[in-house]
Amino acid sequence: MELARRTIDAQTDAGPNEDGVHTMGAAVMAADYRMFVGVNLYHFTGGPCAELVALGAARAQGARQMRCIVAVGNHGRGVIGPCGRDRQVFVDHYPTMRVIVPTPAGLRSVLAADLMPLVQRWTPEAGMNGLDPSLYQDPETAGPPIIRFNPRYLDVVRSGAKTKTTRFRDPARPGPARLVFESDPEVVLSAEVTDVRHCLVSDLTDQDARAEGLTTAAELREVLKGHYPDLAGTDEVDVITFQVNDQTGGA
């Protein structure tokens, strides 16, 4: 929300209580935790809303799956829910993305599909589809817990070269899990988390690195900095050990 607010406050072309071309900002978080922003482009013919601009920016930078999205008005207007067109776009392309919306009880995070009761998705391949009750199941809670991966790790995980993943503020627990690779379409592998070890970044070992398909702990820390730019040696991370059950996976 703060990122969306800062974006529109910096880029708005309208004063308080004035109409303008750029009056809304949006921020979207991709599955790999990268953040992307956009501002609306008003036009009487139907210019794009800030949420759609942010989604386009995310796609342009390689993001395929989205975690959540929010839109904020300029000059302190706060979070504003998506319009009807945006809701349909969310359901058609990102039905399990969460959307932050204002309610009488305060802000809530809801599934995109929940914003459109009894909705029917449109897809480029099949056009308008029939009612699909599964759209209303949150994939994060319907089934084993999800551990998300960049698709570049798919081959090394499938081959067994990578049997650990180190996470910061992304907890896991021992037991069944789904390894979700954010490709297009996404790939899901059934797995078992066999161990979760908590340690400081500075205490990561060469053995941890080798289990991730790397060579040294220093190399592992460098890779982690690419995922978590603000990560410090004194931060605590989870070293998750897993075993893939289903080598074929699914799309």
Side-chain angles (χ1 to χ4, degrees), residues 96 98 111 133-146 173 178 188:
T96 59
R98 302 199 72 86
L111 287 177
S134 70
L135 289 179
Y136 301 95
Q137 297 177 359
D138 187 343
E140 301 289 343
T141 58
I146 287 176
R173 64 176 184 268
R178 288 171 291 167
V188 183

Side-chain angles (χ1 to χ4, degrees), residues 28-36 54-66 94 149-152 181-184:
V28 60
M29 178 186 288
D32 59 5
Y33 297 100
R34 287 185 295 162
M35 300 288 292
F36 304 93
L55 288 170
R59 178 76 188 200
Q61 295 298 314
R64 297 295 182 263
Q65 306 296 327
M66 309 301 165
Y94 307 103
F149 288 84
N150 187 291
R152 70 174 178 266
F181 297 83
E182 306 296 343
S183 51
D184 188 10

Side-chain angles (χ1 to χ4, degrees), residues 23 81 114:
T23 58
D114 287 338

Side-chain angles (χ1 to χ4, degrees), residues 132-188:
D132 181 1
S134 70
L135 289 179
Y136 301 95
Q137 297 177 359
D138 187 343
E140 301 289 343
T141 58
I146 287 176
I147 302 175
R148 297 186 179 273
F149 288 84
N150 187 291
R152 70 174 178 266
Y153 296 118
L154 177 58
D155 289 341
V156 290
V157 169
R158 272 183 163 161
S159 69
K162 180 177 173 69
T163 58
K164 287 185 180 181
T165 180
T166 304
R167 301 299 172 105
F168 178 54
R169 296 176 181 170
D170 188 11
R173 64 176 184 268
R178 288 171 291 167
L179 311 186
V180 177
F181 297 83
E182 306 296 343
S183 51
D184 188 10
E186 70 181 16
V187 174
V188 183

Side-chain angles (χ1 to χ4, degrees), residues 176-214:
R178 288 171 291 167
L179 311 186
V180 177
F181 297 83
E182 306 296 343
S183 51
D184 188 10
E186 70 181 16
V187 174
V188 183
L189 301 181
S190 173
E192 188 82 14
V193 173
T194 58
D195 183 67
V196 178
R197 186 179 99 250
H198 310 293
C199 71
L200 299 180
V201 172
S202 58
D203 292 335
L204 291 168
T205 68
D206 290 349
Q207 183 180 1
D208 293 326
R210 288 192 291 271
E212 295 214 28
L214 303 171

Side-chain angles (χ1 to χ4, degrees), residues 21-74:
V21 175
H22 309 292
T23 58
M24 292 288 299
V28 60
M29 178 186 288
D32 59 5
Y33 297 100
R34 287 185 295 162
M35 300 288 292
F36 304 93
V37 297
V39 298
N40 72 311
L41 182 66
Y42 175 79
H43 192 268
F44 72 91
T45 60
C49 296
E51 296 97 318
L52 303 188
V53 175
L55 288 170
R59 178 76 188 200
Q61 295 298 314
R64 297 295 182 263
Q65 306 296 327
M66 309 301 165
R67 285 182 178 269
C68 62
I69 194 167
V70 65
V72 175
N74 60 350

